[in-house]
Every structure is written in C-alpha cells, then in structure tokens.
Amino acid sequence: MKLGRLNHIGVATPSIAESVAHYRAVMGAEVVREAFDLPAQGVKVCFIDTPNSQIELIEPLGADSPIAKFLEKNPLGGQHHVCFEVPEIHAAKAWFESKGARVLGAPRIGAHGTPVFFVHPKDMGGVLTEIMETPAPGGH
Amino acid sequence: MKLGRLNHIGVATPSIAESVAHYRAVMGAEVVREAFDLPAQGVKVCFIDTPNSQIELIEPLGADSPIAKFLEKNPLGGQHHVCFEVPEIHAAKAWFESKGARVLGAPRIGAHGTPVFFVHPKDMGGVLTEIMETPAPGGH
C-alpha cells in the first residue's frame, strides 16, 4: 500500500454552526459545504475546503454519538481524526490487518459516499485514522 | 484573509525513528525527509509527504520541550497541531489579533524555513493551529 492523499482532518465540535462561523470569520474559509447527518456514524458532518484538502467538522448526532465522550473531555472540540485515501477499501482492510493494526468494524459508507473504516489509535501512534476509498471525481 | 493550504498535520511522537518505521511499514509512506533539530521550538522534526500535504513528526528535543507534557498525557503520541499557509506572516498575525485570537509569541523561523506562529487552541475550537508563511517553491 502507498500512503494516499490526506483527504481531510476530522475536527470535533459541539456546534457546527458556531464552528462554521469561526472558520469563515477567523480562518477566512470561503468554501463551506452543506452540513448533513451521517446516522451510521452518529455524527452531523460539514466539510470546509482548503486549497489542497478539507476540514471535516463533526458534531454529535444523538446522545450515544461516538464523539460524545471526546467532547466531554474536550468541551471546545478539537482534533479528532485524520483521513487518508486508498484505491480499494477491502484490500486496505486486509493490508492493515496483516500489519497487526486493529480495524474498527466492517467498512461502511462514509461522509464522501465511499466506504471507510477506522484504525485503532493505539496501533497508529495515538492517531485515530480513517481510511477512505477515493471518491470519484466530482463526487460528494 | 483566505484559508490557505493545509501545509501539514503535526503529530507528536516519543520516537521519530519508530514512527518513520511505522509510517513506512503500515501506512506505505515512500517520501520521508531527513529529520533535523529545531532548537527554537524544542523539537526534532521529520516530514513525511502525502500526495497533497505532509505529516510533521515531532519528537521532544531536550527535557523542557514544549511537547513533553503532551507526551506525558499521550505516551504513544498523537495529533498535536495543524498548520495552514498564509502569504505574509505579519499581516496574518495582525489579522488573528484583530479577531481576538491569541497569537503565542512573535513569529519565528519554522520547520520549512519561513516564519510561523501558533494560535491558542482555546481561541480555535480546541485546535492548536500553526500559521506558516508559504515556503518558496522548491524550498525545504
């Protein structure tokens, strides 16, 4: 496997609306995509474009959201995960497993409409890592 | 100000050597730059290229390294900061200060040889944010 594009950095926030206002006013963000719910992952999502990558804002969706605990520890929000692209998700899953890295669950459809999985941060130098099949050009 | 390129994600590690081995073996990293000391910031640094950005591995340099406390809390390492490019560092500093975001110290030369500063995570949605003057093409 070759290290792929840094598709996005995942930033947890208690409020996408407030974070978008911050990124527009303070960081000068100009391209803010429409926010949407991703019930399969228990988060609401909003992408902000940088010239070469994206910031994925994630807000808890429902009380048992997997990011609820993160926000308890980090009430302002913060860096939650990083996401790299791979050409084919099942080959990537087999690759990581062959290296002894714990893949968290079966691949499922992620925020860009292609399959993703997460790799346990304890096997990734403390970095919660999302692996995403490269979206088709012009995709979500 | 316009949101600039995501120059790199900063990842703290207790050992650049071990992290480089991990990124090569597990993540498939192929372009690993030479590690070097950055005494002004109390860290040893090593950049790994992704197709569109970079991962900056940072290891403590000396006992009073500013990342020593982070590694006490996160012994495996983890996501430490994110870095965005700006065209001119002093204009950027004035911009952030005008928005009420606390700039941590005067601009100083960063890992790519251009001036940088950090913005307080409490003013940035919990994200420790490095602002870097865009390196010249073909620079470090």
Side-chain angles (χ1 to χ4, degrees):
Chain A
M1 202 187 76
K2 280 191 196 184
L3 181 59
R5 282 186 81 251
L6 179 62
N7 182 276
H8 64 261
I9 54 171
V11 173
T13 171
S15 163
I16 282 178
E18 285 180 23
S19 286
V20 164
H22 162 85
Y23 275 92
R24 283 192 192 275
V26 180
M27 291 299 292
E30 294 187 325
V31 181
V32 177
R33 309 283 176 168
E34 199 170 344
F36 62 96
D37 294 349
L38 196 61
Q41 300 197 14
V43 290
K44 183 176 171 183
V45 174
C46 180
F47 283 101
I48 295 174
D49 291 9
T50 77
N52 61 326
S53 188
Q54 288 184 307
I55 298 155
E56 180 190 44
L57 298 173
I58 48 176
E59 175 189 309
L61 183 70
D64 56 348
S65 170
I67 66 168
K69 198 176 282 183
F70 181 93
L71 286 169
E72 270 173 40
K73 285 187 202 163
N74 307 277
L76 294 172
Q79 298 174 73
H80 181 264
H81 67 272
V82 296
C83 176
F84 296 97
E85 296 180 14
V86 295
E88 207 282 310
I89 201 76
H90 294 287
K93 181 169 183 282
W95 168 272
F96 280 98
E97 287 170 342
S98 79
K99 301 294 178 183
R102 282 163 284 180
V103 170
L104 302 169
R108 56 201 160 164
I109 298 301
H112 280 297
T114 64
V116 306
F117 60 78
F118 285 84
V119 186
H120 200 300
K122 289 201 173 162
D123 297 332
M124 301 299 283
V127 178
L128 177 59
T129 304
E130 181 178 2
I131 300 297
M132 163 190 284
E133 199 168 284
T134 302
H140 188 39
Chain B
M1 202 187 78
K2 282 190 195 185
L3 181 60
R5 282 187 80 251
L6 179 63
N7 182 277
H8 64 261
I9 53 172
V11 174
T13 171
S15 163
I16 283 179
E18 286 180 23
S19 286
V20 164
H22 162 86
Y23 276 92
R24 284 192 191 279
V26 179
M27 292 299 292
E30 294 187 325
V31 181
V32 178
R33 309 284 175 167
E34 200 171 342
F36 61 97
D37 293 349
L38 196 61
Q41 300 196 13
V43 290
K44 183 176 173 183
V45 174
C46 180
F47 284 101
I48 295 175
D49 291 8
T50 76
N52 61 326
S53 190
Q54 287 185 310
I55 299 156
E56 181 191 43
L57 299 172
I58 49 176
E59 177 189 308
L61 183 69
D64 57 348
S65 170
I67 66 168
K69 198 176 282 182
F70 181 94
L71 286 169
E72 269 172 39
K73 285 187 203 161
N74 307 277
L76 294 172
Q79 298 173 74
H80 181 265
H81 67 271
V82 296
C83 177
F84 296 97
E85 295 179 16
V86 295
E88 205 283 310
I89 201 75
H90 295 286
K93 181 169 182 283
W95 167 272
F96 280 99
E97 287 171 342
S98 78
K99 302 292 178 185
R102 280 163 285 181
V103 170
L104 302 169
R108 54 202 162 164
I109 299 302
H112 280 297
T114 64
V116 307
F117 60 79
F118 285 84
V119 187
H120 201 299
K122 288 201 175 161
D123 297 331
M124 300 300 282
V127 178
L128 177 59
T129 304
E130 181 179 3
I131 301 297
M132 164 189 284
E133 199 168 283
T134 302
H140 188 40

